[in-house]
Each structure stands twice: as C-alpha cells, then as structure tokens.
Amino acid sequence: MKLTNVKGKTWVLDGPQLVGVYQLDDTRCLLLDPGSWKLIAPIETALKEVGWTPVGVACTHMHYDHHESSRYFQETYGAAVCLPQLEADIVRNEESLKNHLFNFTMGMIRTIPRLQHLVCPVDRVIGLDEDTVELCGAELKVVRTPGHSPDHVCFITPDNVCFAGDTLMTEDVLAEAMVPFAFDLADDLKSKQVVGELDCDAYIFCHKGLRYGSVADLAQANIDRVHHQLAACADLVKGPMTYSEFYAAVVTAFDLPVGHPARGLHLERYIRPYLEYLIDTDQLALIEQHGAPSVRPKGAVQGG
C-alpha cells in the first residue's frame, strides 16, 4: 500500500480501499479503519518503511472491511481500539454480534473467521453524546453519521481532514454499486446530506477516493443513486409478494451475484433495508400472506 500525505499529519494508505493514518510523532501513528484481515501485511510493510508503530485504531463502524483487523493491531502492538458506542456494543461478544447479524446462524458466527475477527474488546468507546474523542494524545472531532451502520461516525483530524468511512462513495465506485448497503436508509440519506454540508479541507472516502474542497455534489449524487434504486425496487412489486419473493425479484432484476448460500444471506442483509424503507415511507403496504410477511403496492386491495 502506498502512503500519501493528505495534509499536515494526516496521511492515507492507498490499496484496495483507503486506510487513514494520523501521525502522532516520529515513531507512532493512529490507524483509521484499518480494514479487513488481508490488509494487515500491506499496512505493516508500509508503516515499517517509515518507522511508524500503530498505537491506536479508530473505526467509523464495525463492518469487516473496516474493523476486522482491529483486534490484530490491538494484540500485536498494544494499539488502543476506539469505536462508537453502538458499534462497540455489537462486537462485544459472539451473542451481540449474532443479534446484529440476525440472519446468520450462531454456528456461522462461531466458525467463520471473518465474523470471529469482528469480536473485539474496545478500549475507548465514543459515547452517544460525545463530539470529540482523545486517542493516544490526538483529539479527533466526531461527526455522527448513522445509517450505513447503527452508529457510524466520521472523524475530523486536527488538520481539518474528514475521514468519512462509508457515508459516501466516489463517482467510479457509485457507478458500479448495484445495491449500496445501509442499515437504515432514512438515517443514511440524512447523514449523506450532513457530510455534504461539512466545511473540511479534504475528505477521505474508504471506497475509494480523496477529495479536496466541497463534496456537496458528490453527496447529492449518492442521495440520487439511493432514490433511484428505491424506485426500481418499488416498481418490482406489482402485487402481493412475500419478503422472500421480493428478495428474489431484486436479485434477478439487478443481476446480483449469489453463487453460495452465505452470499445469499449477505444479499438479504443488503436488500432488506430497501424493503423496510419502502414500508416506512408508505410506498409499500405490509401484509400477511399464508403466515409469511409480505408486501403489496400501496392502495392495492389485498388479494386483488
């Protein structure tokens, strides 16, 4: 991974995704969203070249492609791990992780390495009422941006650089995003607007890009993309459909790759928030059909 200076002591490691680095002094640094297990070796190699040791890890949220390697840096380097409160609650133990990943079996939680790596003791929890966090002597501003995950945050470094995690995708990534993931789309849409209105000198987006100046246009493009996908999902419901039928219709219409039952579970997690948003905003009606939760177009007569 290539280490590039963004501004002042704020750096970025450029690889399959962007990992934030804040330089504390000549030998120590913080990692922001160090990513998945496969990024560990490239991160270590890049840091060794400049003589930096990671002494702290701050994550915008607990998804595997942002937080999976946190415990490794904690156990290997003694790095203090920092997460927002609700994200820390999720990774506290296997049971809390299962409660969040409700469609995965407990056996999967206990045996799939990618899920096991998520479980991690958190050294510094960012309380729901906190708008700054001090980690290893550095003070980071905290901007609450829930939606992509329950308690997603953005960090603003002392250089006025916003590390924005997954709130926005850059244009090239957005063009390829079939069903952008969100835990709650209503919150996610609000948070995209929040980031678009920030006044930072630079913005780091994990997937994937660095922007200087305003990102208002990028935020609006992300919002428009979500609304476009919501409309496409709603158009698939011509009559009563079970949840399972809705998932299958979206997978088929968007040509989403499945290939494995576990991948199907992931896709269900991706699609369900779209269905829930359409129900919450009265675009679809929630009904029961032969004992199964189902939906129908708003205003249509059940059974008609």
Side-chain angles (χ1 to χ4, degrees), residues 25-55:
D25 53 38
D26 290 341
T27 61
R28 301 180 307 141
C29 68
L30 303 179
L31 295 176
L32 306 178
D33 286 10
S36 69
W37 202 257
K38 66 183 179 182
L39 296 185
I40 291 173
I43 289 173
E44 288 181 316
T45 297
L47 294 183
K48 285 178 181 177
E49 288 178 355
V50 292
W52 295 349
T53 298
V55 296

Side-chain angles (χ1 to χ4, degrees), residues 21 197 199 210 241 287:
V21 182
E197 294 173 355
D199 185 22
L210 172 64
M241 299 176 73
I287 62 173

Side-chain angles (χ1 to χ4, degrees), residues 30 83 90 93 148 161 185 229 232 291 304:
L30 303 179
L83 278 172
I90 292 169
N93 53 42
H148 178 73
V161 175
L185 278 168
Q229 296 302 78

Side-chain angles (χ1 to χ4, degrees), residues 112-131:
I112 295 176
R114 174 158 283 177
L115 300 181
Q116 275 290 295
H117 293 156
L118 294 178
V119 178
C120 176
V122 177
D123 302 289
R124 175 63 164 92
V125 175
I126 305 171
L128 294 172
D129 60 345
E130 291 187 282
D131 57 11

Side-chain angles (χ1 to χ4, degrees), residues 168-178 206-209 225:
L168 301 179
M169 292 181 286
T170 51
E171 293 86 352
D172 53 341
V173 179
L174 193 63
E176 300 295 324
M178 295 173 283
C206 291
H207 306 288
K208 178 188 174 185
R225 176 66 169 174

